[in-house]
């Protein structure tokens, strides 16, 4: 037992020796002759050699299995010895003993212990690690034969846990050691990736989780394998695992799945498009449902959320193609993912790491997409009163007590909000204008926060505010002009100063103001703001040059010989002065382009000016800032350049250099060229519009051509049909003519018996065909005749109906005439009665007047007693009563006459109407008679044709009889019956015509 322990100690000591000596030390050499035979047998090299011999030579499976188990137990401690001596034997076991899962499992475990570096035993502090990397060397030996990797992939198809799990671990270790080489072998192996994808569907969590780690190593930096894995339904399976594990509340398995998703999506446009088209972005929303509770932020949950946010950023990264990024941004807004992120952004109790990454994620989700930017502008923080989220974030940016990483994230969010967002830029600049500033001071605007940060004593706040304000002016000439209106109150009693003037004042003070942070950071920020402000804005250049102190300050800064730190400021001053020359519209006589160039040549020198201008792009931090839009700096001292400003420098450095060296004549020529180019552009735009109109016209004409082609095709088909029908009719006509000619010839040459007998059979067949055709023609003619007969019957019925109508109208007119005669007689009698009554009335009136005269004369001559007066009064009253009655009767008679006259007019109208209907019916009758005559003519023509056909049939039958062919009597009977029916129809038609 002691000897065994001693041997293990010797082995452990040998593992600390260099690799090239271990093999020799493991074998007994001349220096070991003092050892006993028992000690030699206990030496690890000898034991491993004997075990290898048993594995290779033993015929019993149990013996080989025990030997491989022993090698597995030795492989952890004596990794090098086992690897050198046993690797080939173990591979042979994998090839030959696949039927026994136990020995396969031992062999795979042994190979894993040899190749993996994860379980290297710890060495003592005084010893050093071996220089050689045993894992990579053994991996290279193993994959030298590609069949070994293919064999390992085939073993992964085994469902046995003791085979599949060690195989997964071994393949993962191979990928970690020599990833690209193993990836290439798996890629060319048939169904290699598909076999590995089955691991995600394994019900045993250990194998599934290790399968995720295997796919992580397999998909790292290999776009082809990433595409294959994605199209093998990896997204669906991984998202299901994340959901089963509890999303962000899950364990390390969720983190592993998220890392695998990152490998599949990062810098892979095809997989990103597949992820979006598969509606997998919508399944990311529940990840960020963190709830309202402030507790429960475990370390694993923070890690999971951090990786989830990074995965969202992979889909909307600025380095992706613009079309793919905008489509993902649209999907994130539509499914509510952006809203969920903004909820986390405004929540309380969120860890600083998660809050910072959430701000960066929201930044890239809204960057350059107008809909998302508008939504973010409407988000309010849950405060009283509610404030816009932009204002709350800017408060954190200009607060020097906030973490540096958080302030950088807020600046990036503000930059992304204003990127290609002229509406947002206008809203930010409007908060600085006098008309929109809140006089009460209750609410703080974004513009006020930026101005406060721009003029604070913290250099980092100055830089961040200057860069943020520069982004509000980026590629927006309107807002550059609007910002010139901003006025600032410097102190009580002094007049307000423009924002442009205040920036130049602070710039000229330099290091006189005591600031916290970098010395040059404030000046660099202000110079970047001024360069952005004045570029492509001649009005701003004029305002800047209007202050007579600005140009001498810039020339003085550029001309001085300062240290390395100040060289960057000199380069920015040279850039600002170059912008003032290049974008100068020569509106100020004292600072025209030519005079500024002469000033540079006298005070600085053109070569020195260009050299100072080149300090910007040569700075070490310039190239770092130009790589990514996100301001990602390790410390505040590195925060010098902005990404968008580096693009501006790259654009203007060359044109400013050319402008400095140009003479006035060249400037004039350039202006003329610009004018001609503008004219050319206008002409080009005009022609472009014409081309657009012509394109529209061409599209319309193409549509018309397509419709005409369709119509032409239809007409052609109709023509072809008609031509075919005409050809058929011609063929029939020619056939009938030939048949008639043959019939005549046959009748002329019938006397020749020998010739007839020679062609008798052929003529009989031809005559039968002709007979069949004539029968079919006869049937057609009979059907046409039946149609004509039905038409004649309809016409006859319609003819009889107008006759009855005419009779009824005649009787009605006779009745009306009788009524008119009776009414005339009544009217005459009434008139006579009226005349007689009027005569009586006139007589009575005359009698009344005579009586009145007599009474008057009698009253005058003789006084009358009272009785006689009373009698006269009664007489007069009687006469008056009779007169009133007569008047009443006359009125009644007049009314009756009036009513009779109205009835007479109505009867006249009815009579006129009946006359008009009679005329119409007469016209219709005439038309029907014409139709009847036409139909009769057609019927006669048909009868003539039928008669001709019957004559031909009769002649053909006679010929057939003469030729000796039997003719059925039914045909004759049918033809006779048809003739009888036709004769009856003709008789009926004639009788109806007479009627």
């Amino acid at each position: 037992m002691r000897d065994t322990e001693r041997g293990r100690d010797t082995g452990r000591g040998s593992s600390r020796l260099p690799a090239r000596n271990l093999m020799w030390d493991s074998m007994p050499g001349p220096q070991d002759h003092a050892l006993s035979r028992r000690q030699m047998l206990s030496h690890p090299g000898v034991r491993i050699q004997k075990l290898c011999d048993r594995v290779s030579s033993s015929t019993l499976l149990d013996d080989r299995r025990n030997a491989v188990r022993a090698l597995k137990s030795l492989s952890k401690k004596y990794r090098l010895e086992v690897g050198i001596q046993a690797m080939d034997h173990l591979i042979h076991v994998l090839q030959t003993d696949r039927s026994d899962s136990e020995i396969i499992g031992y062999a795979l475990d042994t190979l894993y212990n040899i190749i993996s570096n994860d379980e290297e035993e710890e060495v003592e502090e005084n010893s050093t690690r071996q220089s050689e990397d045993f894992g990579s060397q053994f991996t290279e030996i193993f994959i030298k034969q590609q069949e070994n990797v293919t064999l390992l992939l085939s073993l992964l198809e085994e469902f046995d846990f003791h085979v599949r799990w060690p195989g997964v671990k071994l393949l993962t270790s191979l990928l970690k050691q020599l990833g690209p080489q193993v990836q290439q072998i798996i890629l060319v192996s048939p169904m290699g990736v598909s076999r590995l994808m089955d691991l995600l569907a394994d019900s045993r969590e250990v194998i599934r989780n290790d399968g995720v780690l295997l796919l992580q190593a397999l998909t790292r930096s290999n776009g082809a394998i990433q595409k294959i894995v994605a199209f093998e339904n990896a997204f669906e399976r991984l998202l299901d695992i994340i959901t089963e594990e509890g999303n962000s509340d899950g364990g390390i398995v969720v983190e592993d799945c998220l890392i695998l998703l990152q490998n599949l999506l990062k810098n892979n446009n095809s997989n990103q498009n597949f992820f979006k088209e598969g509606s997998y972005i919508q399944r990311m929303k529940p990840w960020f449902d963190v709830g309202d509770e402030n507790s429960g932020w475990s370390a694993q949950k923070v890690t999971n959320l951090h990786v989830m946010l990074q995965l969202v950023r992979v889909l909307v990264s600025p380095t992706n193609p613009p079309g793919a990024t905008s489509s993902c941004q649209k999907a994130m807004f539509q499914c509510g993912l952006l809203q969920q992120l903004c909820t986390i952004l405004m929540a309380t109790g969120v860890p600083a790491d998660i809050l910072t990454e959430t701000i960066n994620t929201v930044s890239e989700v809204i960057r350059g997409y107008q809909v998302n930017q508008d939504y973010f502008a409407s988000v309010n923080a849950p405060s009283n009163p509610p404030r816009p989220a932009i204002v709350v974030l800017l408060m954190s940016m200009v607060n020097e007590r906030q973490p540096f990483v958080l302030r950088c994230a807020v600046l990036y969010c503000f930059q992304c909000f204003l990127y290609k967002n002229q509406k947002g830029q206008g809203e930010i600049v409007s908060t600085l204008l006098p008309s929109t500033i809140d006089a009460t001071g209750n609410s703080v605007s974004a513009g006020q926060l930026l101005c406060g940060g721009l003029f604070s004593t913290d250099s980092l706040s100055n830089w961040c505010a200057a860069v943020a304000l520069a982004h509000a002016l980026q590629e927006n000439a309107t807002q550059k002009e609007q910002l010139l209106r901003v006025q600032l109150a410097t102190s009580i009693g002094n007049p307000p100063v423009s924002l442009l003037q205040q920036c130049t004042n602070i710039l000229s003070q330099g290091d006189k103001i005591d600031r916290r942070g970098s010395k040059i950071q404030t000046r660099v920020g202000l110079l970047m703001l001024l360069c952005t402000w004045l570029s492509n804005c001649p009005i701003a250049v004029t305002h800047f040059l209007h202050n007579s102190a600005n140009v001498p300050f810039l020339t003085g800064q550029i001309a001085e010989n300062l240290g390395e730190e100040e060289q960057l400021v000199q380069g920015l001053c040279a850039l600002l002065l170059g912008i003032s020359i290049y974008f100068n519209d020569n509106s100020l006589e004292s600072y025209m382009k030519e005079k500024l160039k002469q000033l540079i040549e006298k005070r600085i020198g053109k070569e020195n000016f260009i050299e100072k201008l080149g300090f910007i792009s040569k700075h070490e931090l310039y190239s770092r800032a130009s790589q990514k839009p996100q301001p990602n700096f390790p410390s505040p001292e590195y925060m010098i350049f902005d990404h968008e400003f580096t693009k501006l420098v790259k654009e203007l450095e060359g044109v400013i250099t050319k402008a400095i060296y140009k003479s006035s004549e060249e400037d004039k020529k350039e202006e003329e060229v610009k004018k001609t180019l503008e004219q050319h552009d206008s002409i080009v735009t005009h022609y472009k519009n014409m081309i657009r109109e012509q394109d529209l016209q061409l599209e319309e004409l193409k549509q018309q051509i397509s419709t005409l082609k369709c119509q032409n095709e239809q007409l052609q088909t109709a023509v072809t049909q008609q031509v075919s029908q005409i050809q058929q009719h011609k063929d029939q006509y020619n056939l009938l003519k030939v048949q008639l000619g043959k019939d005549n010839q046959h009748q002329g040459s019938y006397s020749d018996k020998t010739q007839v007998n020679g062609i008798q059979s052929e003529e009989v067949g031809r005559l039968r065909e002709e007979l069949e055709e004539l029968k079919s023609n006869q049937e057609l003619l009979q059907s046409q005749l039946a149609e004509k007969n039905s038409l004649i019957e309809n016409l006859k019925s319609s003819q009889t109906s107008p006759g009855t109508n005419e009779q009824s109208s005649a009787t009605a007119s006779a009745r009306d005439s009788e009524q008119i005669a009776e009414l005339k007689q009544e009217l005459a009698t009434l008139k006579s009665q009226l005349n007689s009554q009027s005569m009586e009335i006139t007589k009575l009136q005359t009698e009344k007047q005579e009586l009145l005269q007599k009474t008057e004369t009698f009253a005058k001559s003789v006084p009358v007693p009272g009785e006689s007066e009373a009698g006269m009064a009664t007489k007069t009253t009687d006469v008056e009563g009779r007169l009133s009655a007569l008047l009443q009767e006359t009125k009644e008679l007049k009314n009756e006459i009036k009513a009779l006259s109205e009835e007479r007019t109505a009867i006249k109208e009815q009579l006129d109407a009946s006359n008009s209907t009679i005329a119409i019916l007469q016209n219709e009758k005439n038309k029907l008679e014409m139709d009847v005559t036409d139909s009769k003519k057609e019927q006669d023509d048909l009868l003539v044709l039928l008669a001709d056909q019957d004559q031909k049939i009769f002649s053909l039958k006679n010929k057939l009889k003469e030729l000796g062919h039997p003719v059925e009597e039914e045909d004759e009977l049918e033809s006779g019956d048809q003739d009888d029916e036709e004769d009856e129809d003709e008789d009926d038609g004639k009788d109806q015509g007479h009627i």
Side-chain angles (χ1 to χ4, degrees):
M1 188 71 178
R2 290 175 184 173
D3 294 336
T4 306
E5 291 176 358
R6 191 181 301 115
R8 287 182 180 175
D9 293 338
T10 307
R12 184 178 291 112
S14 65
S15 65
R16 300 191 189 104
L17 295 175
R20 58 183 177 272
N21 297 329
L22 278 170
M23 185 63 191
W24 298 104
D25 293 338
S26 62
M27 299 297 293
Q31 66 273 24
D32 296 328
H33 286 301
L35 296 174
S36 64
R37 180 179 178 84
R38 189 173 182 181
Q39 288 174 337
M40 287 182 67
L41 291 174
S42 65
H43 195 276
V46 178
R47 291 179 60 195
I48 292 168
Q49 183 63 43
K50 286 190 174 183
L51 291 172
C52 291
D53 293 339
R54 286 173 60 190
V55 170
S56 61
S57 61
S58 180
T59 57
L60 296 175
L61 180 62
D62 292 338
D63 194 13
R64 294 199 303 274
R65 186 189 304 120
N66 294 331
V68 174
R69 185 191 298 116
L71 287 172
K72 174 189 170 185
S73 62
L74 292 171
S75 60
K76 291 183 180 180
K77 184 180 287 188
Y78 306 109
R79 177 185 175 192
L80 181 63
E81 293 86 345
V82 174
I84 290 173
Q85 299 183 46
M87 180 175 281
D88 292 337
H89 300 293
L90 294 171
I91 293 171
H92 185 70
V93 167
L94 296 177
Q95 294 171 348
T96 57
D97 293 327
R98 291 191 62 173
S99 59
D100 186 64
S101 60
E102 193 173 355
I103 192 173
I104 295 294
Y106 292 146
L108 291 172
D109 283 331
T110 307
L111 289 171
Y112 173 73
N113 293 335
I114 294 169
I115 291 171
S116 176
N117 290 328
D118 297 338
E119 298 182 4
E120 285 184 350
E121 59 182 13
E122 296 180 0
V123 297
E124 297 177 1
E125 294 180 0
N126 297 330
S127 63
T128 59
R129 289 185 177 273
Q130 299 173 359
S131 59
E132 289 82 4
D133 186 1
F134 297 142
S136 61
Q137 291 178 8
F138 285 129
T139 301
E140 189 174 357
I141 294 169
F142 184 83
I143 68 172
K144 193 171 184 180
Q145 299 293 330
Q146 296 187 6
E147 294 81 5
N148 296 337
V149 180
T150 307
L151 175 64
L152 183 57
L153 291 172
S154 64
L155 289 172
L156 291 178
E157 293 180 347
E158 299 289 337
F159 188 73
D160 195 322
F161 181 81
H162 297 288
V163 176
R164 180 172 273 195
W165 189 40
V168 171
K169 293 194 296 180
L170 176 58
L171 187 56
T172 306
S173 182
L174 291 172
L175 286 164
K176 286 181 180 178
Q177 297 295 339
L178 294 174
Q181 294 89 327
V182 180
Q183 285 174 346
Q184 193 62 30
I185 296 171
I186 294 173
L187 190 61
V188 299
S189 177
M191 299 296 290
V193 180
S194 300
R195 293 172 183 172
L196 301 180
M197 287 300 300
D198 294 337
L199 299 173
L200 295 179
D202 201 305
S203 58
R204 295 160 293 193
E205 290 189 1
V206 177
I207 295 177
R208 184 199 69 184
N209 298 342
D210 283 347
V212 173
L213 295 175
L214 170 60
L215 290 172
Q216 277 185 23
L218 179 66
T219 57
R220 191 173 290 116
S221 303
N222 193 307
I225 293 178
Q226 290 168 3
K227 291 179 183 178
I228 296 171
V229 171
F231 283 98
E232 288 285 345
N233 206 20
F235 293 139
E236 185 76 28
R237 295 182 185 180
L238 291 172
L239 292 172
D240 289 341
I241 295 171
I242 292 170
T243 305
E244 290 170 6
E245 295 291 328
N247 293 328
S248 60
D249 294 321
I252 195 170
V253 179
V254 173
E255 181 184 355
D256 293 336
C257 291
L258 291 169
I259 292 171
L260 177 54
L261 284 172
Q262 276 191 10
N263 289 350
L264 294 174
L265 293 172
K266 195 169 186 179
N267 299 325
N268 195 317
N269 300 328
S270 175
N271 284 1
Q272 289 175 7
N273 188 38
F274 181 66
F275 191 83
K276 177 185 69 68
E277 295 295 335
S279 300
Y280 296 120
I281 292 176
Q282 287 80 343
R283 296 187 62 179
M284 298 170 72
K285 183 187 174 185
W287 297 353
F288 305 101
D289 190 8
V290 295
D292 297 331
E293 70 277 359
N294 295 329
S295 59
W297 288 95
S298 62
Q300 187 61 50
K301 182 175 182 178
V302 171
T303 304
N304 290 343
L305 264 176
H306 196 273
V307 182
M308 287 173 177
L309 291 167
Q310 287 179 344
L311 186 61
V312 175
R313 293 183 65 185
V314 165
L315 294 170
V316 293
S317 173
T319 58
N320 294 341
T325 301
S326 61
S327 60
C328 290
Q329 289 171 333
K330 181 180 179 180
M332 288 177 184
F333 176 76
Q334 289 177 345
C335 72
L337 180 58
L338 176 60
Q339 294 84 329
Q340 201 76 26
L341 293 173
C342 290
T343 303
I344 298 174
L345 190 67
M346 294 291 106
T348 56
V350 180
D353 184 20
I354 297 298
L355 182 61
T356 303
E357 192 63 26
T358 304
I359 294 171
N360 288 327
T361 306
V362 171
S363 305
E364 293 183 352
V365 172
I366 67 173
R367 187 177 188 269
Y369 191 69
Q370 188 66 49
V371 177
N372 293 4
Q373 289 169 338
D374 293 341
Y375 171 77
F376 184 70
S378 65
V379 174
N380 289 323
S383 59
N384 192 13
R387 289 178 175 174
I390 298 172
V391 173
V392 175
L393 291 174
L394 287 176
M395 291 172 70
S396 301
M397 186 185 74
V398 298
N399 187 356
E400 55 184 304
R401 289 177 293 181
Q402 293 291 339
F404 171 68
V405 180
L406 180 64
R407 297 174 76 180
C408 290
V410 173
L411 176 61
Y412 184 47
C413 184
F414 191 73
Q415 291 175 352
C416 292
F417 169 68
L418 297 178
Y419 182 71
K420 293 183 179 180
N421 184 11
Q422 293 191 352
K423 179 182 176 184
Q425 290 174 330
E427 290 173 354
I428 297 298
V429 173
S430 65
T431 58
L432 287 164
L433 298 178
S435 59
T436 57
I437 295 176
D438 188 5
T440 60
N442 295 329
S443 61
V444 181
S445 66
Q448 292 172 344
L449 288 170
L450 291 175
C451 283
L454 193 63
F455 305 128
S456 69
T457 56
D458 178 31
S459 60
L460 185 59
S461 297
N462 300 152
W463 191 91
C464 291
V467 170
L469 198 56
H471 276 264
L473 307 175
Q474 199 77 36
E475 297 180 357
N476 196 330
T478 304
Q479 303 309 323
K480 290 177 182 179
E481 295 175 6
Q482 289 292 321
L483 200 63
L484 295 172
R485 297 170 50 204
V486 177
Q487 300 289 321
L488 302 174
T490 54
S491 59
I492 300 173
N494 292 328
V497 180
S498 67
L499 177 61
L500 183 64
Q501 183 62 43
Q502 184 65 17
C503 290
T504 55
N505 291 340
I506 295 172
L507 190 62
S508 61
Q509 292 174 2
D511 296 332
K512 295 178 182 178
I513 301 174
D514 187 16
R515 299 180 187 277
R516 293 179 296 277
S518 176
K519 293 181 180 180
I520 64 169
Q521 203 166 32
T522 300
R523 287 182 288 164
V524 169
L526 289 172
L527 285 167
M528 286 195 298
L529 172 60
L530 291 173
C531 290
T532 306
W533 194 348
L534 269 61
S535 63
N536 293 295
C537 187
I539 299 174
V541 172
T542 304
H543 279 72
F544 177 76
L545 296 175
H546 191 72
N547 187 353
S548 58
N550 289 337
V551 173
F553 167 73
L554 292 176
T555 54
Q557 287 285 319
I558 299 167
E560 289 183 6
N561 292 321
L562 302 173
E564 292 183 359
E565 291 185 357
E566 296 294 330
Q567 285 182 352
L568 179 59
V569 177
Q570 287 182 322
L572 292 170
C573 289
L575 178 65
L576 183 58
L577 186 57
I579 290 171
S580 301
I581 294 171
Y582 185 72
F583 295 104
N584 193 342
D585 58 356
N586 294 325
S587 58
L588 290 176
E589 205 173 315
S590 56
Y591 292 108
M592 296 177 70
K593 284 185 179 182
E594 193 61 31
K595 290 185 178 180
L596 289 173
K597 289 179 187 179
Q598 293 174 1
L599 184 65
I600 289 172
E601 191 171 0
K602 290 179 181 178
R603 298 276 182 89
I604 306 167
K606 291 182 179 180
E607 290 77 10
N608 191 19
F609 179 85
I610 300 303
E611 184 184 357
K612 297 291 177 69
L613 182 62
F615 286 161
I616 302 172
S617 56
K618 292 177 183 177
H619 201 276
E620 58 181 355
L621 297 177
Y622 175 85
S623 59
R624 184 171 184 173
S626 62
Q627 293 174 359
K628 292 182 180 180
Q630 182 182 0
N632 189 9
F633 304 102
S635 62
E637 291 77 17
Y638 291 89
M639 209 167 188
I640 298 297
F641 287 108
D642 174 55
H643 176 74
E644 292 296 327
F645 180 73
T646 58
K647 293 198 290 187
L648 182 67
V649 172
K650 188 176 180 181
E651 178 186 349
L652 295 178
E653 187 176 4
V655 296
I656 289 172
T657 304
K658 290 180 181 178
I660 294 298
Y661 283 107
K662 281 180 184 177
S663 61
S664 58
E665 294 179 356
E666 290 178 348
D667 287 335
K668 290 179 181 179
K669 288 181 181 179
E670 187 176 354
E671 288 178 359
E672 291 177 358
V673 170
K674 282 183 179 179
K675 289 179 181 178
T676 54
L677 286 174
E678 288 175 358
Q679 292 176 358
H680 182 264
D681 290 338
S682 63
I683 293 168
V684 168
T685 53
H686 175 67
Y687 280 115
K688 282 182 179 179
N689 294 328
M690 287 179 64
I691 290 167
R692 288 195 192 96
E693 293 175 357
Q694 289 175 357
D695 288 338
L696 294 173
Q697 291 176 1
L698 282 173
E699 289 296 328
E700 293 177 357
L701 291 172
K702 284 179 181 179
Q703 292 177 358
Q704 291 178 4
I705 287 168
S706 62
T707 54
L708 290 172
K709 280 183 179 179
C710 294
Q711 292 177 2
N712 188 19
E713 290 175 357
Q714 293 175 359
L715 292 172
Q716 283 181 354
T717 53
V719 166
T720 52
Q721 290 176 0
Q722 290 176 0
V723 167
S724 63
Q725 290 177 0
I726 290 167
Q727 189 63 35
Q728 289 176 1
H729 291 307
K730 283 182 178 179
D731 294 339
Q732 291 177 1
Y733 176 72
N734 292 327
L735 184 63
L736 289 171
K737 283 176 72 177
V738 170
Q739 288 173 356
L740 290 172
K742 286 181 179 180
D743 291 341
N744 295 329
Q745 290 176 2
H746 181 71
Q747 288 178 359
S749 62
Y750 183 72
S751 59
D752 193 2
K753 291 287 183 176
T754 58
Q755 190 175 0
V756 168
N757 291 328
I759 57 169
Q760 187 176 2
S761 59
E762 294 179 359
E763 288 181 353
V764 168
R766 194 178 299 110
L767 289 171
R768 283 179 181 176
E769 292 177 358
E770 291 175 359
L771 185 61
E772 293 294 329
E773 289 178 0
L774 289 171
K775 281 183 180 181
S776 62
N777 291 330
Q778 186 179 6
E779 289 175 358
L780 288 172
L781 291 171
Q782 285 178 357
S783 62
Q784 292 177 1
L785 183 61
E787 290 177 359
K788 295 293 181 181
N789 287 330
S790 62
L791 180 63
I792 290 166
E793 291 294 330
N794 293 328
L795 291 172
K796 285 178 179 179
S797 61
S798 62
Q799 188 176 5
T800 54
S801 60
T804 55
N805 292 329
E806 187 177 355
Q807 290 175 0
S808 62
S809 62
T811 53
S813 60
R815 289 174 186 173
D816 292 338
S817 60
E818 289 175 358
Q819 288 179 0
I820 290 166
E822 289 175 358
L823 289 171
K824 285 181 178 180
Q825 290 177 359
E826 289 178 1
L827 184 62
T829 53
L830 288 170
K831 283 183 178 180
S832 62
Q833 289 177 3
L834 182 63
N835 291 326
S836 62
Q837 286 176 359
S838 61
M839 291 293 289
E840 288 178 359
I841 289 166
T842 53
K843 286 180 180 179
L844 289 171
Q845 286 178 350
T846 53
E847 287 178 357
K848 180 183 176 182
Q849 288 178 356
E850 289 176 355
L851 288 171
L852 288 172
Q853 288 177 357
K854 286 179 180 179
T855 52
E856 287 177 355
T857 54
F858 185 74
K860 289 179 180 178
S861 60
V862 181
V864 181
E867 291 179 358
S868 62
E869 290 178 357
M872 291 297 293
T874 54
K875 284 182 179 181
T876 56
T877 54
D878 291 336
V879 171
E880 288 176 356
R882 288 176 65 188
L883 286 171
S884 61
L886 290 169
L887 291 171
Q888 187 67 29
E889 287 179 358
T890 55
K891 286 182 180 179
E892 290 176 356
L893 288 169
K894 285 180 180 179
N895 291 329
E896 288 179 357
I897 291 164
K898 187 177 181 181
L900 288 170
S901 64
E902 289 177 355
E903 288 180 359
R904 182 182 176 184
T905 55
I907 289 165
K908 281 183 178 180
E909 290 176 355
Q910 290 178 359
L911 185 60
D912 295 334
S914 62
N915 291 327
S916 64
T917 53
I918 288 165
I920 292 166
L921 291 170
Q922 189 66 32
N923 292 328
E924 290 181 354
K925 180 182 177 182
N926 294 329
K927 289 181 181 179
L928 290 170
E929 287 177 352
M930 292 291 292
D931 292 335
V932 169
T933 54
D934 293 336
S935 62
K936 282 181 179 180
K937 288 180 181 178
E938 291 178 357
Q939 189 176 9
D940 293 336
D941 295 336
L942 289 171
L943 289 171
V944 171
L945 288 171
L946 284 171
D948 294 337
Q949 292 289 336
D950 289 336
Q951 186 65 32
K952 288 181 181 179
I953 291 167
F954 183 73
S955 62
L956 289 171
K957 283 181 180 179
N958 291 329
K959 288 179 182 180
L960 290 172
K961 286 179 182 179
E962 291 173 356
L963 293 170
H965 182 69
V967 179
E968 295 179 358
E969 296 296 331
E970 292 178 0
D971 297 338
E972 295 176 2
L973 292 173
E974 287 177 0
S975 62
D977 294 337
Q978 289 176 357
D979 292 337
D980 295 337
E981 289 175 0
E982 289 173 359
D983 295 335
E984 290 175 2
D985 292 335
E986 288 177 359
D987 295 336
D988 293 337
K990 290 177 181 178
D991 295 337
Q992 289 175 359
H994 291 302
I995 290 167

